[in-house]
Amino acid sequence: MNKFAFVDCKTVDQVLGQLGDGAMVKAGGIDLLDLMKEDIVSPPRLVNIRNVDSLRGITISTDGLHLGPLSTLSEIASHPEIQRSYSALADAAGHAATPQVRNMATLGGNIMQRPRCWYFRSSDFDCKKKGEGSDECHAHNGENQYHAIMNNSSCAMVHPSSTAVPLLGLGAQVELTSKRGKRMVAMSEFYVPPEKSVVNETVVRPGELITSIFVPAPEPGTRSAYQKYGEKESFDWPIADAGIVLVMDGARCRKASVVLGVAAPTPIRSKEAEAVLVGKTIDEGTARAAGKAAMLHATPLSQNGYKTQLFETAIYRTVLLAAGQMQRDQSAVG
Amino acid sequence: MADTPKIEISRRGFLKGAGITAATGVIESANAFARDAKGALHGAQTIGPDAQPIKLHINGHELAVSVEPRYTLAETLRDNLGLTGTKVVCDRGSCSACTVWIDKVPALACMTLAVDAVGREITTIEGLSHGDTMHSVQVAFVKHDAMQCGFCTPGMVMSCAALLERNPNPKLDDVKHAVSGNLCRCGTYPKVFAATLDVAQQRAQASGLVNLDTGTEA
């Protein structure tokens, strides 16, 4: 790790005053320290926000769920009201990484993680995502069994955030604060796909800090679930994960969000799968058809064709889990 | 370390603490850094990049150490303070061999900067035992032969002991969940589960029958 100065802040104003000149924000520090140990980033200054009290706390109000960005994944996973009304979010937070990581990792840090791609994460490789001197995507011709199977023509990274999947499905918004004021960004606009910019991963601008994450109160009849599939039962990145939000009118599905996590470089909604579910009675047939529809436009690479089957299964089983027609999958993670 | 600090935590105090933690349950155990860091730095205060003296609260003692901000808590414990019970294996937060308690919550010493631990209550494996008397989880690990090469054992014990503090009557699935981050390449998990459940059972029996202060589980 490079040498750096550590600036411990107590207020948002102090944090905003410290940003710039290559400084990086540190909350739980899990992804950041990982990147620093691998020499992927070498910031001269870390701005510690972990002791900023105003960035903590989980509040439920009539309009929805207000999450301080310093809420840990453990706090979110164990919160009774989140488990009840925002099940997919509790599921996603509770099945990320390990208990120790979940006790430290924050929601803000979770959605701000850098992408997973072993070429990007290795200082031995230059690539176009790293910006300087290379126009290569090594995953396209190299080892790519865990890479993206959709929207992968420019860069085949995947975004590892489990919580981003339900946050997108539940219509969450991220509050960004800078010296010039605040702005709200919908989760659907938060991530920048590589075909728009291979370098910028989010719309967060220099000098901005995530100060709140808001999830609107679910409509009556809303049911949601999240399941993640990986090679190991614990501490593993997903190789397929699905977040499903259904608004049910009796047995009939009135609205649906089908979100795929590590299918593409950013979490995406599958309009094709949603079109299959809306207006239908949810049963095994419609759930399977939704899984198939979601993979219609998949463009797997040389080694990751198996992920299309895994996503079809993840979507089918998670739709039925959300609808209350199937138990949590024993072969899913956790 | 040449001058090993005397462990001041009493068995009675430890068990009382266990009861309190159990009563408040899950929320208490959900954030390794939730409590206000008493004695932490005030205002936007800069440390480093060169080594600077800091004070860490470890196993009930305030210890002074001089570190650069880039030193992890695991490195500081082992290299600067001689507390080598905390192991470093992956150094990336993947294996949990370096598990310590930060404000009573299991956390990763390898992914915590030492300067970020100022004002926190750190408990390491050395802080679990009471002088020469091992912690009941350690005793049970010996009894059940719950270790082979032993490298994951300190972290494993920290996870199991923390579980018993917040849940005195765990089921097998609770123990599995508690050590789901602790990687053991020797495959000692079944014995780790048995040891932890044994402690819970002994404590439950003892609480009805004997004074826990005698601390003779073995």
Side-chain angles (χ1 to χ4, degrees):
Chain A
M1 231 188 308
N2 63 295
K3 282 181 89 155
F4 57 84
F6 181 87
V7 189
D8 191 69
C9 296
K10 295 286 191 196
T11 66
V12 169
D13 280 346
Q14 287 173 0
V15 174
L16 297 178
Q18 291 292 330
L19 299 180
D21 299 327
M24 295 187 81
V25 171
K26 188 201 76 64
I30 300 284
D31 194 43
L32 181 57
L33 261 59
D34 195 6
L35 291 159
M36 291 172 72
K37 288 179 180 186
E38 298 293 342
D39 290 330
I40 305 301
V41 297
S42 306
R45 191 164 75 245
L46 288 196
V47 182
N48 187 36
I49 64 169
R50 180 137 60 182
N51 297 318
V52 179
D53 284 342
S54 65
L55 299 178
R56 287 195 199 132
I58 297 173
T59 315
I60 310 259
S61 59
T62 48
D63 63 338
L65 173 63
H66 299 261
L67 296 155
L70 290 182
S71 306
T72 62
L73 300 185
S74 296
E75 286 171 327
I76 292 167
S78 61
H79 196 286
E81 187 56 36
I82 299 177
Q83 289 173 347
R84 190 159 39 240
S85 304
Y86 305 87
S87 320
L89 181 59
D91 288 348
H95 291 96
T98 66
Q100 288 88 336
V101 170
R102 294 194 290 272
N103 288 340
M104 300 169 71
T106 66
L107 182 62
N110 187 266
I111 64 173
M112 287 298 287
Q113 285 174 93
R114 304 297 305 277
R116 301 309 302 185
C117 164
W118 41 40
Y119 298 107
F120 169 70
R121 293 259 169 183
S122 167
S123 56
D124 293 339
F125 292 89
D126 284 329
C127 73
K128 59 180 156 187
K129 172 137 200 63
K130 289 179 187 160
E132 291 163 15
S134 173
D135 200 27
E136 290 271 320
C137 172
H138 302 287
H140 281 138
N141 298 316
E143 302 291 332
N144 52 37
Q145 59 262 47
Y146 302 132
H147 284 76
I149 53 170
M150 302 175 81
N151 305 350
N152 52 5
S153 60
S154 168
C155 164
M157 68 182 190
V158 290
H159 198 278
S161 171
S162 302
T163 58
V165 173
L167 288 175
L168 176 56
L170 292 163
Q173 295 184 302
V174 180
E175 181 189 80
L176 298 171
T177 301
S178 69
K179 284 179 179 169
R180 287 174 300 174
K182 294 176 186 291
R183 64 182 179 124
M184 295 298 284
V185 176
M187 240 1 242
S188 54
E189 306 295 322
F190 186 76
Y191 292 111
V192 177
E195 58 265 28
K196 279 194 187 164
S197 166
V198 79
V199 180
N200 292 332
E201 286 144 25
T202 70
V203 297
V204 179
R205 298 177 191 136
E208 283 186 320
L209 180 72
I210 297 176
T211 42
S212 183
I213 293 146
F214 170 68
V215 189
E219 289 181 52
T222 299
R223 310 182 63 117
S224 68
Y226 168 90
Q227 289 190 115
K228 159 184 163 182
Y229 293 78
E231 288 196 344
K232 293 191 292 180
E233 273 192 39
S234 181
F235 195 80
D236 207 357
W237 306 103
I239 45 183
D241 58 343
I244 308 290
V245 183
L246 305 174
V247 182
M248 301 299 291
D249 196 353
R252 192 174 143 277
C253 173
R254 197 157 56 79
K255 289 184 188 172
S257 286
V258 175
V259 185
L260 315 183
V262 291
T266 61
I268 53 166
R269 279 179 68 169
S270 172
K271 297 292 170 201
E272 294 84 356
E274 292 168 6
V276 168
L277 298 173
V278 173
K280 307 276 175 44
T281 300
I282 301 297
D283 57 19
E284 176 159 351
T286 45
R288 281 191 188 275
K292 291 256 183 245
M295 289 295 109
L296 274 179
H297 304 298
T299 52
L301 305 172
S302 59
Q303 298 175 342
N304 65 5
Y306 74 99
K307 282 182 65 167
T308 58
Q309 176 64 57
L310 205 50
F311 266 102
E312 286 180 9
T313 306
I315 293 161
Y316 142 63
R317 291 180 183 171
T318 309
V319 166
L320 291 183
L321 176 65
Q325 297 179 25
M326 191 183 259
Q327 297 293 309
R328 178 164 290 283
D329 189 352
Q330 290 297 310
S331 58
V333 172
Chain B
M1 135 182 226
D3 183 17
T4 306
K6 189 170 171 290
I7 305 301
E8 287 170 352
I9 184 168
S10 73
R11 182 154 195 90
R12 183 187 291 276
F14 175 80
L15 289 164
K16 265 191 201 155
I20 290 161
T21 311
T24 48
V26 179
I27 302 302
E28 179 105 69
S29 70
N31 187 336
F33 291 82
R35 193 175 60 82
D36 279 341
K38 285 186 189 121
L41 312 158
H42 291 289
Q45 190 175 337
T46 302
I47 310 180
D50 293 326
Q52 256 178 254
I54 57 169
K55 284 178 180 168
L56 296 174
H57 293 267
I58 299 171
N59 301 334
H61 299 267
E62 189 176 79
L63 302 176
V65 62
S66 183
V67 292
E68 293 178 18
R70 63 176 165 172
Y71 281 27
T72 65
L73 178 59
E75 290 166 336
T76 305
L77 289 170
R78 291 180 55 82
D79 302 344
N80 300 66
L81 297 169
L83 294 168
T84 53
T86 300
K87 303 301 179 202
V88 176
V89 180
C90 74
D91 200 30
R92 295 293 185 280
S94 304
C95 74
S96 302
C98 66
T99 300
V100 297
W101 297 351
I102 296 177
D103 292 340
K104 306 274 190 203
V105 177
L108 301 165
C110 81
M111 300 305 269
T112 300
L113 297 172
V115 291
D116 206 11
V118 171
R120 309 289 173 184
E121 190 185 323
I122 311 297
T123 309
T124 70
I125 189 73
E126 290 91 345
L128 277 198
S129 53
H130 182 194
D132 287 338
T133 307
M134 286 192 290
H135 184 273
S136 52
V137 171
Q138 294 172 309
V139 173
F141 266 54
V142 173
K143 177 180 162 190
H144 289 269
D145 195 17
M147 69 204 78
Q148 200 175 111
C149 83
F151 225 78
C152 73
T153 307
M156 201 72 91
V157 168
M158 296 306 285
S159 290
C160 295
L163 168 69
L164 293 171
E165 287 228 7
R166 65 179 185 269
N167 178 3
N169 299 302
K171 305 227 175 338
L172 176 59
D173 277 351
D174 298 322
V175 187
K176 286 185 177 179
H177 190 258
V179 299
S180 61
N182 293 82
L183 193 63
C184 172
R185 294 192 67 181
C186 306
T188 59
Y189 293 102
K191 297 185 174 186
V192 169
F193 305 153
T196 307
L197 292 171
D198 191 5
V199 176
Q201 198 176 17
Q202 284 179 39
R203 286 185 183 179
Q205 285 169 355
S207 66
L209 296 171
V210 297
N211 183 350
L212 283 174
D213 267 355
T214 55
T216 49
E217 292 93 330

